[in-house]
Amino acid sequence: MNTQSIEFIRPVKQPGKRPATPQRWSVEDVEALFKLPFADLMFRAQQVHRENFDPNAVQLSTLLSIKTGGCSEDCGYCPQSAFHSTGVENRKMLDVDVVVAAALAAKQSGADRFCMGAAWREPSEEDMAGVVEMVKAVRGLGMETCATLGMLNDKQTEQLRDAGLDYYNHNLDTSPEFYGDIISTRDYQDRLDTLERVRKAGMHVCSGGIVGMGENLTQRAGLVAQLANLEPYPESVPINNLVKVEGTPLAQTEDLDPLDFVRTIAAARITMPTARVRLSAGRQQMSDAIQALCFLAGANSIFYGEQLLTTGNPEAERDRALLEKLGMYPLAVQQ
Ligand code: SAM
Ligand code: DTB
Ligand code: SF4
């Protein structure tokens, strides 16, 4: 056996170091990754993954929708937009004790991070008071906290940081070129500005996107390049496969070839070596085999629990069985 390859595949269990000068990626560079023979792409992704992480440990985040539906944005994929009739019931912000009970149940089920999502364009002052209480209480349970509340101003990022929020999720969603086909009520720069504020306040950035919305390969590569060129790139990168919800403008979009989804994960891993790449929405529609390929491609995080925000996710028991079958384990167990 070639000893050099053994050197390459030794897992490093303490990720977190980042290259002093991160590599800049052109859209063409990322496109070239997508066009590699599948085995070559997977090999490169595995090399990068194993240089930076224990390849068998998976981080588990549980999501809760703390405010559902009736959103004033027109995101074409989203069942919670007031522009689309999807049958999602509008629900006002949950009480703190309901959120804490859900977080505790998630912790007991094995999750290490709890992510609170709200169908807002941006939170109001009153909304922020409630969220701050939730973040403090969930942190008090010893879990990592994440929130996704829409656009934020400077004061709000500081409030969240002071409450102890570990991660703020705000997705770029797609490439700048395709963005206008999907959303018209806020622009790409608004998203970049919010990410910048989150970074400046000192919180970890969670930002990714959705594939399978009808974008072409260049546009898919464009999303990955945008994320990879953020300085620094996000600590957490959710890659969602579009969940097609009846009543949304994207409900009839043609399915993305599952291997192209796997390639997107691999490209994210190669271009953002120390990021946690999350195999996010769309797992309920995915076979175990494709999910296993995603882990091989460098995904090392999932949403864990029966529900995403308004749509379904695999049962926790099924996920535990899948991880066991693959010889993988939750990060919380490994620590
Ligand atoms: N309203 C806030 C915002 O948009 O920033 C936070 C919640 S929003 C639902 C969070 C993210 O969920 C979106 O940015 C999008 O990437 C993802 N998402 C929403 N609907 C989806 C769908 N049908 N399929 C896949 N991902 C979806
Ligand atoms: C992310 O990138 N995906 C999650 C989370 N961040 C907030 C949301 C997925 C939502 C899927 C559709 C739904 O359940 O409403
Ligand atoms: Fe609103 Fe967020 Fe859905 Fe867009 S993705 S419609 S901002 S809840």
Side-chain angles (χ1 to χ4, degrees):
M1 195 190 279
N2 173 342
T3 47
Q4 206 181 358
S5 66
I6 292 175
E7 189 60 33
F8 252 130
I9 63 172
R10 185 178 299 139
V12 176
K13 296 209 168 141
Q14 293 190 331
K17 54 180 170 44
R18 283 167 175 264
T21 315
Q23 188 176 347
R24 287 199 70 80
W25 292 87
S26 69
V27 177
E28 293 72 30
D29 293 335
V30 181
E31 244 185 296
L33 290 176
F34 275 110
K35 288 179 179 163
L36 282 172
F38 190 73
D40 293 347
L41 176 63
M42 295 294 275
F43 182 65
R44 275 192 66 178
Q46 267 288 299
Q47 282 181 322
V48 173
H49 195 182
R50 284 169 183 267
E51 282 164 17
N52 292 285
F53 288 100
D54 173 346
N56 300 312
V58 188
Q59 187 272 321
L60 306 181
S61 288
T62 294
L63 265 173
L64 178 69
S65 179
I66 59 165
K67 187 270 169 188
T68 307
C71 183
S72 61
E73 301 273 355
D74 69 351
C75 311
Y77 48 76
C78 186
Q80 303 197 68
S81 165
F83 287 80
H84 321 316
S85 304
T86 59
V88 166
E89 252 179 65
N90 298 350
R91 209 178 54 188
K92 65 176 180 48
M93 185 158 63
L94 297 178
D95 289 335
V96 177
D97 52 350
V98 174
V99 175
V100 173
L104 187 59
K107 182 180 177 179
Q108 284 165 349
S109 169
D112 55 278
R113 190 178 304 166
F114 192 68
C115 181
M116 294 156 271
W120 290 319
R121 170 179 168 78
E122 70 245 304
S124 68
E125 224 170 276
E126 197 189 334
D127 298 331
M128 283 301 294
V131 173
V132 160
E133 288 314 304
M134 290 173 193
V135 171
K136 286 184 181 163
V138 174
R139 199 114 192 290
L141 299 175
M143 297 184 88
E144 283 189 324
T145 51
C146 177
T148 181
L149 316 168
M151 293 186 285
L152 298 179
N153 60 34
D154 283 328
K155 182 177 168 201
Q156 292 169 329
T157 53
E158 285 157 21
Q159 282 177 294
L160 290 171
R161 176 203 59 207
D162 293 346
L165 189 72
D166 297 297
Y167 289 80
Y168 192 75
N169 167 248
H170 197 62
N171 290 338
L172 291 180
D173 276 350
T174 189
S175 71
E177 293 74 23
F178 191 55
Y179 185 86
D181 289 22
I182 305 296
I183 299 147
S184 76
T185 47
R186 75 178 131 163
D187 59 32
Y188 213 78
Q189 190 58 47
D190 292 328
R191 291 181 186 254
L192 293 169
D193 291 347
T194 291
L195 292 179
E196 186 59 41
R197 291 192 185 102
V198 171
R199 184 56 84 197
K200 201 173 74 189
M203 286 177 286
H204 294 317
V205 170
C206 173
S207 187
I210 311 177
V211 296
M213 296 197 292
E215 73 285 347
N216 62 31
L217 190 148
T218 309
Q219 291 161 339
R220 206 148 47 242
L223 165 68
V224 174
Q226 278 286 331
L227 293 165
N229 291 333
L230 291 174
E231 282 184 37
Y233 58 74
E235 283 81 7
S236 167
V237 179
I239 304 292
N240 297 276
N241 199 16
L242 175 69
V243 179
K244 296 179 206 174
V245 178
E246 219 38 68
T248 61
L250 297 185
Q252 311 309 329
T253 311
E254 204 179 312
D255 279 343
L256 182 72
D257 183 325
L259 293 180
D260 286 334
F261 184 82
V262 177
R263 285 174 185 277
T264 311
I265 298 270
R269 167 52 63 224
I270 292 165
T271 57
M272 294 171 271
T274 65
R276 272 216 178 261
V277 176
R278 182 171 308 121
L279 163 55
S280 302
R283 284 198 308 115
Q284 203 173 35
Q285 294 75 19
M286 238 173 245
S287 66
D288 284 0
I290 290 295
Q291 292 189 59
L293 282 178
C294 288
F295 293 131
L296 267 178
N300 57 358
S301 168
I302 55 172
F303 284 124
Y304 175 68
E306 289 70 24
Q307 182 89 355
L308 291 168
L309 292 174
T310 65
T311 64
N313 196 44
E315 304 276 318
E317 206 174 310
R318 181 183 150 197
D319 277 341
R320 284 196 293 266
L322 174 62
L323 293 185
E324 200 177 324
K325 190 156 67 168
L326 298 174
M328 300 179 82
Y329 33 82
L331 192 61
V333 171
Q334 180 215 12
Q335 284 165 343

PDB file of all heavy atoms in Angstrom, residues 71-75 77-82 84 118-121 150 173 183 186 191, ligand 3:
ATOM      1  N   CYS A  71     -45.177  35.234   6.060  1.00  0.00           N
ATOM      2  CA  CYS A  71     -43.986  36.062   5.868  1.00  0.00           C
ATOM      3  C   CYS A  71     -44.174  37.029   4.694  1.00  0.00           C
ATOM      4  O   CYS A  71     -44.714  36.665   3.653  1.00  0.00           O
ATOM      5  CB  CYS A  71     -42.764  35.172   5.637  1.00  0.00           C
ATOM      6  SG  CYS A  71     -41.240  36.124   5.468  1.00  0.00           S
ATOM      7  N   SER A  72     -43.659  38.254   4.868  1.00  0.00           N
ATOM      8  CA  SER A  72     -43.866  39.296   3.856  1.00  0.00           C
ATOM      9  C   SER A  72     -42.892  39.211   2.680  1.00  0.00           C
ATOM     10  O   SER A  72     -42.958  40.036   1.770  1.00  0.00           O
ATOM     11  CB  SER A  72     -43.766  40.668   4.516  1.00  0.00           C
ATOM     12  OG  SER A  72     -42.472  40.819   5.064  1.00  0.00           O
ATOM     13  N   GLU A  73     -41.987  38.219   2.695  1.00  0.00           N
ATOM     14  CA  GLU A  73     -41.066  38.032   1.564  1.00  0.00           C
ATOM     15  C   GLU A  73     -41.698  37.075   0.543  1.00  0.00           C
ATOM     16  O   GLU A  73     -42.585  36.282   0.890  1.00  0.00           O
ATOM     17  CB  GLU A  73     -39.740  37.433   2.052  1.00  0.00           C
ATOM     18  CG  GLU A  73     -39.022  38.271   3.079  1.00  0.00           C
ATOM     19  CD  GLU A  73     -38.104  39.321   2.471  1.00  0.00           C
ATOM     20  OE1 GLU A  73     -37.940  39.349   1.230  1.00  0.00           O
ATOM     21  OE2 GLU A  73     -37.554  40.108   3.243  1.00  0.00           O
ATOM     22  N   ASP A  74     -41.195  37.127  -0.680  1.00  0.00           N
ATOM     23  CA  ASP A  74     -41.823  36.297  -1.732  1.00  0.00           C
ATOM     24  C   ASP A  74     -40.917  35.156  -2.232  1.00  0.00           C
ATOM     25  O   ASP A  74     -41.027  34.739  -3.388  1.00  0.00           O
ATOM     26  CB  ASP A  74     -42.271  37.180  -2.909  1.00  0.00           C
ATOM     27  CG  ASP A  74     -41.085  37.753  -3.691  1.00  0.00           C
ATOM     28  OD1 ASP A  74     -39.920  37.621  -3.242  1.00  0.00           O
ATOM     29  OD2 ASP A  74     -41.327  38.325  -4.780  1.00  0.00           O
ATOM     30  N   CYS A  75     -40.037  34.648  -1.370  1.00  0.00           N
ATOM     31  CA  CYS A  75     -39.103  33.570  -1.765  1.00  0.00           C
ATOM     32  C   CYS A  75     -39.880  32.427  -2.448  1.00  0.00           C
ATOM     33  O   CYS A  75     -40.781  31.830  -1.826  1.00  0.00           O
ATOM     34  CB  CYS A  75     -38.362  33.061  -0.538  1.00  0.00           C
ATOM     35  SG  CYS A  75     -37.652  34.396   0.470  1.00  0.00           S
ATOM     36  N   TYR A  77     -39.400  29.412  -3.194  1.00  0.00           N
ATOM     37  CA  TYR A  77     -39.342  28.034  -2.683  1.00  0.00           C
ATOM     38  C   TYR A  77     -40.131  27.856  -1.405  1.00  0.00           C
ATOM     39  O   TYR A  77     -40.343  26.746  -0.944  1.00  0.00           O
ATOM     40  CB  TYR A  77     -37.870  27.659  -2.411  1.00  0.00           C
ATOM     41  CG  TYR A  77     -37.117  28.721  -1.618  1.00  0.00           C
ATOM     42  CD1 TYR A  77     -37.321  28.874  -0.246  1.00  0.00           C
ATOM     43  CD2 TYR A  77     -36.241  29.602  -2.242  1.00  0.00           C
ATOM     44  CE1 TYR A  77     -36.667  29.865   0.477  1.00  0.00           C
ATOM     45  CE2 TYR A  77     -35.580  30.602  -1.524  1.00  0.00           C
ATOM     46  CZ  TYR A  77     -35.808  30.722  -0.172  1.00  0.00           C
ATOM     47  OH  TYR A  77     -35.175  31.709   0.534  1.00  0.00           O
ATOM     48  N   CYS A  78     -40.531  28.969  -0.758  1.00  0.00           N
ATOM     49  CA  CYS A  78     -40.880  28.881   0.663  1.00  0.00           C
ATOM     50  C   CYS A  78     -42.369  28.738   0.943  1.00  0.00           C
ATOM     51  O   CYS A  78     -43.180  29.582   0.546  1.00  0.00           O
ATOM     52  CB  CYS A  78     -40.330  30.099   1.398  1.00  0.00           C
ATOM     53  SG  CYS A  78     -40.581  29.949   3.190  1.00  0.00           S
ATOM     54  N   PRO A  79     -42.730  27.690   1.684  1.00  0.00           N
ATOM     55  CA  PRO A  79     -44.133  27.473   2.038  1.00  0.00           C
ATOM     56  C   PRO A  79     -44.677  28.504   3.019  1.00  0.00           C
ATOM     57  O   PRO A  79     -45.883  28.571   3.236  1.00  0.00           O
ATOM     58  CB  PRO A  79     -44.120  26.076   2.688  1.00  0.00           C
ATOM     59  CG  PRO A  79     -42.703  25.773   3.043  1.00  0.00           C
ATOM     60  CD  PRO A  79     -41.836  26.590   2.131  1.00  0.00           C
ATOM     61  N   GLN A  80     -43.786  29.327   3.594  1.00  0.00           N
ATOM     62  CA  GLN A  80     -44.237  30.270   4.623  1.00  0.00           C
ATOM     63  C   GLN A  80     -44.460  31.685   4.095  1.00  0.00           C
ATOM     64  O   GLN A  80     -44.830  32.587   4.852  1.00  0.00           O
ATOM     65  CB  GLN A  80     -43.211  30.324   5.747  1.00  0.00           C
ATOM     66  CG  GLN A  80     -42.946  28.967   6.367  1.00  0.00           C
ATOM     67  CD  GLN A  80     -42.276  29.108   7.705  1.00  0.00           C
ATOM     68  OE1 GLN A  80     -42.874  29.578   8.665  1.00  0.00           O
ATOM     69  NE2 GLN A  80     -41.007  28.739   7.768  1.00  0.00           N
ATOM     70  N   SER A  81     -44.227  31.886   2.802  1.00  0.00           N
ATOM     71  CA  SER A  81     -44.426  33.211   2.232  1.00  0.00           C
ATOM     72  C   SER A  81     -45.919  33.517   2.114  1.00  0.00           C
ATOM     73  O   SER A  81     -46.692  32.688   1.644  1.00  0.00           O
ATOM     74  CB  SER A  81     -43.772  33.269   0.847  1.00  0.00           C
ATOM     75  OG  SER A  81     -44.245  34.400   0.158  1.00  0.00           O
ATOM     76  N   ALA A  82     -46.307  34.740   2.516  1.00  0.00           N
ATOM     77  CA  ALA A  82     -47.714  35.146   2.406  1.00  0.00           C
ATOM     78  C   ALA A  82     -48.129  35.276   0.940  1.00  0.00           C
ATOM     79  O   ALA A  82     -49.325  35.363   0.636  1.00  0.00           O
ATOM     80  CB  ALA A  82     -47.916  36.470   3.140  1.00  0.00           C
ATOM     81  N   HIS A  84     -47.759  32.936  -1.269  1.00  0.00           N
ATOM     82  CA  HIS A  84     -48.156  31.628  -1.810  1.00  0.00           C
ATOM     83  C   HIS A  84     -49.223  30.979  -0.927  1.00  0.00           C
ATOM     84  O   HIS A  84     -49.187  31.114   0.303  1.00  0.00           O
ATOM     85  CB  HIS A  84     -46.942  30.677  -1.881  1.00  0.00           C
ATOM     86  CG  HIS A  84     -45.654  31.333  -2.298  1.00  0.00           C
ATOM     87  ND1 HIS A  84     -45.580  32.235  -3.343  1.00  0.00           N
ATOM     88  CD2 HIS A  84     -44.385  31.226  -1.805  1.00  0.00           C
ATOM     89  CE1 HIS A  84     -44.330  32.649  -3.468  1.00  0.00           C
ATOM     90  NE2 HIS A  84     -43.585  32.057  -2.552  1.00  0.00           N
ATOM     91  N   ALA A 118     -37.619  31.642  12.301  1.00  0.00           N
ATOM     92  CA  ALA A 118     -38.831  32.462  12.284  1.00  0.00           C
ATOM     93  C   ALA A 118     -39.122  32.977  10.885  1.00  0.00           C
ATOM     94  O   ALA A 118     -38.214  33.393  10.171  1.00  0.00           O
ATOM     95  CB  ALA A 118     -38.676  33.642  13.241  1.00  0.00           C
ATOM     96  N   ALA A 119     -40.402  32.980  10.532  1.00  0.00           N
ATOM     97  CA  ALA A 119     -40.820  33.455   9.209  1.00  0.00           C
ATOM     98  C   ALA A 119     -40.970  34.973   9.235  1.00  0.00           C
ATOM     99  O   ALA A 119     -42.083  35.509   9.197  1.00  0.00           O
ATOM    100  CB  ALA A 119     -42.129  32.786   8.819  1.00  0.00           C
ATOM    101  N   TRP A 120     -39.852  35.627   9.356  1.00  0.00           N
ATOM    102  CA  TRP A 120     -39.825  37.090   9.346  1.00  0.00           C
ATOM    103  C   TRP A 120     -38.907  37.572   8.223  1.00  0.00           C
ATOM    104  O   TRP A 120     -37.904  36.935   7.916  1.00  0.00           O
ATOM    105  CB  TRP A 120     -39.223  37.637  10.652  1.00  0.00           C
ATOM    106  CG  TRP A 120     -40.066  37.450  11.867  1.00  0.00           C
ATOM    107  CD1 TRP A 120     -41.420  37.608  11.966  1.00  0.00           C
ATOM    108  CD2 TRP A 120     -39.598  37.098  13.180  1.00  0.00           C
ATOM    109  NE1 TRP A 120     -41.823  37.372  13.258  1.00  0.00           N
ATOM    110  CE2 TRP A 120     -40.726  37.067  14.028  1.00  0.00           C
ATOM    111  CE3 TRP A 120     -38.346  36.819  13.732  1.00  0.00           C
ATOM    112  CZ2 TRP A 120     -40.642  36.755  15.382  1.00  0.00           C
ATOM    113  CZ3 TRP A 120     -38.246  36.517  15.079  1.00  0.00           C
ATOM    114  CH2 TRP A 120     -39.385  36.485  15.899  1.00  0.00           C
ATOM    115  N   ARG A 121     -39.274  38.762   7.700  1.00  0.00           N
ATOM    116  CA  ARG A 121     -38.323  39.464   6.825  1.00  0.00           C
ATOM    117  C   ARG A 121     -37.185  39.962   7.711  1.00  0.00           C
ATOM    118  O   ARG A 121     -36.023  39.858   7.381  1.00  0.00           O
ATOM    119  CB  ARG A 121     -39.052  40.626   6.146  1.00  0.00           C
ATOM    120  CG  ARG A 121     -38.171  41.578   5.401  1.00  0.00           C
ATOM    121  CD  ARG A 121     -39.017  42.671   4.766  1.00  0.00           C
ATOM    122  NE  ARG A 121     -38.212  43.771   4.261  1.00  0.00           N
ATOM    123  CZ  ARG A 121     -37.540  43.749   3.125  1.00  0.00           C
ATOM    124  NH1 ARG A 121     -37.552  42.686   2.371  1.00  0.00           N
ATOM    125  NH2 ARG A 121     -36.839  44.788   2.730  1.00  0.00           N
ATOM    126  N   GLY A 150     -34.165  36.206   9.656  1.00  0.00           N
ATOM    127  CA  GLY A 150     -34.209  37.180   8.570  1.00  0.00           C
ATOM    128  C   GLY A 150     -33.086  38.197   8.702  1.00  0.00           C
ATOM    129  O   GLY A 150     -32.063  37.929   9.338  1.00  0.00           O
ATOM    130  N   ASP A 173     -28.714  31.425  -0.488  1.00  0.00           N
ATOM    131  CA  ASP A 173     -29.729  30.684  -1.259  1.00  0.00           C
ATOM    132  C   ASP A 173     -29.286  30.228  -2.646  1.00  0.00           C
ATOM    133  O   ASP A 173     -29.459  29.089  -3.014  1.00  0.00           O
ATOM    134  CB  ASP A 173     -31.057  31.448  -1.351  1.00  0.00           C
ATOM    135  CG  ASP A 173     -31.921  31.215  -0.116  1.00  0.00           C
ATOM    136  OD1 ASP A 173     -31.573  30.330   0.694  1.00  0.00           O
ATOM    137  OD2 ASP A 173     -32.929  31.910   0.042  1.00  0.00           O
ATOM    138  N   ILE A 183     -36.433  35.424  -5.851  1.00  0.00           N
ATOM    139  CA  ILE A 183     -36.873  36.359  -4.799  1.00  0.00           C
ATOM    140  C   ILE A 183     -36.839  37.775  -5.352  1.00  0.00           C
ATOM    141  O   ILE A 183     -35.855  38.160  -5.992  1.00  0.00           O
ATOM    142  CB  ILE A 183     -35.908  36.297  -3.578  1.00  0.00           C
ATOM    143  CG1 ILE A 183     -35.909  34.889  -2.979  1.00  0.00           C
ATOM    144  CG2 ILE A 183     -36.299  37.319  -2.495  1.00  0.00           C
ATOM    145  CD1 ILE A 183     -34.591  34.470  -2.403  1.00  0.00           C
ATOM    146  N   ARG A 186     -36.186  41.257  -1.492  1.00  0.00           N
ATOM    147  CA  ARG A 186     -34.940  41.787  -0.912  1.00  0.00           C
ATOM    148  C   ARG A 186     -33.802  41.311  -1.808  1.00  0.00           C
ATOM    149  O   ARG A 186     -33.941  40.293  -2.488  1.00  0.00           O
ATOM    150  CB  ARG A 186     -34.731  41.355   0.532  1.00  0.00           C
ATOM    151  CG  ARG A 186     -34.300  39.926   0.683  1.00  0.00           C
ATOM    152  CD  ARG A 186     -34.058  39.539   2.128  1.00  0.00           C
ATOM    153  NE  ARG A 186     -34.774  38.300   2.378  1.00  0.00           N
ATOM    154  CZ  ARG A 186     -34.547  37.499   3.405  1.00  0.00           C
ATOM    155  NH1 ARG A 186     -33.667  37.802   4.310  1.00  0.00           N
ATOM    156  NH2 ARG A 186     -35.216  36.399   3.552  1.00  0.00           N
ATOM    157  N   ARG A 191     -28.523  40.407   1.913  1.00  0.00           N
ATOM    158  CA  ARG A 191     -28.093  39.179   2.606  1.00  0.00           C
ATOM    159  C   ARG A 191     -26.620  39.283   3.006  1.00  0.00           C
ATOM    160  O   ARG A 191     -26.240  38.932   4.117  1.00  0.00           O
ATOM    161  CB  ARG A 191     -28.309  37.964   1.698  1.00  0.00           C
ATOM    162  CG  ARG A 191     -29.779  37.682   1.508  1.00  0.00           C
ATOM    163  CD  ARG A 191     -30.003  36.476   0.623  1.00  0.00           C
ATOM    164  NE  ARG A 191     -31.423  36.341   0.360  1.00  0.00           N
ATOM    165  CZ  ARG A 191     -32.213  35.422   0.911  1.00  0.00           C
ATOM    166  NH1 ARG A 191     -31.715  34.531   1.721  1.00  0.00           N
ATOM    167  NH2 ARG A 191     -33.504  35.384   0.633  1.00  0.00           N
TER     168      ARG A 191
HETATM  169 FE1  SF4 B   3     -39.926  34.446   4.636  1.00  0.00          FE
HETATM  170 FE2  SF4 B   3     -37.641  33.208   5.134  1.00  0.00          FE
HETATM  171 FE3  SF4 B   3     -39.621  31.963   3.821  1.00  0.00          FE
HETATM  172 FE4  SF4 B   3     -38.308  33.904   2.596  1.00  0.00          FE
HETATM  173  S1  SF4 B   3     -37.449  31.955   3.301  1.00  0.00           S
HETATM  174  S2  SF4 B   3     -40.545  33.651   2.649  1.00  0.00           S
HETATM  175  S3  SF4 B   3     -37.889  35.269   4.304  1.00  0.00           S
HETATM  176  S4  SF4 B   3     -39.658  32.625   5.919  1.00  0.00           S
END
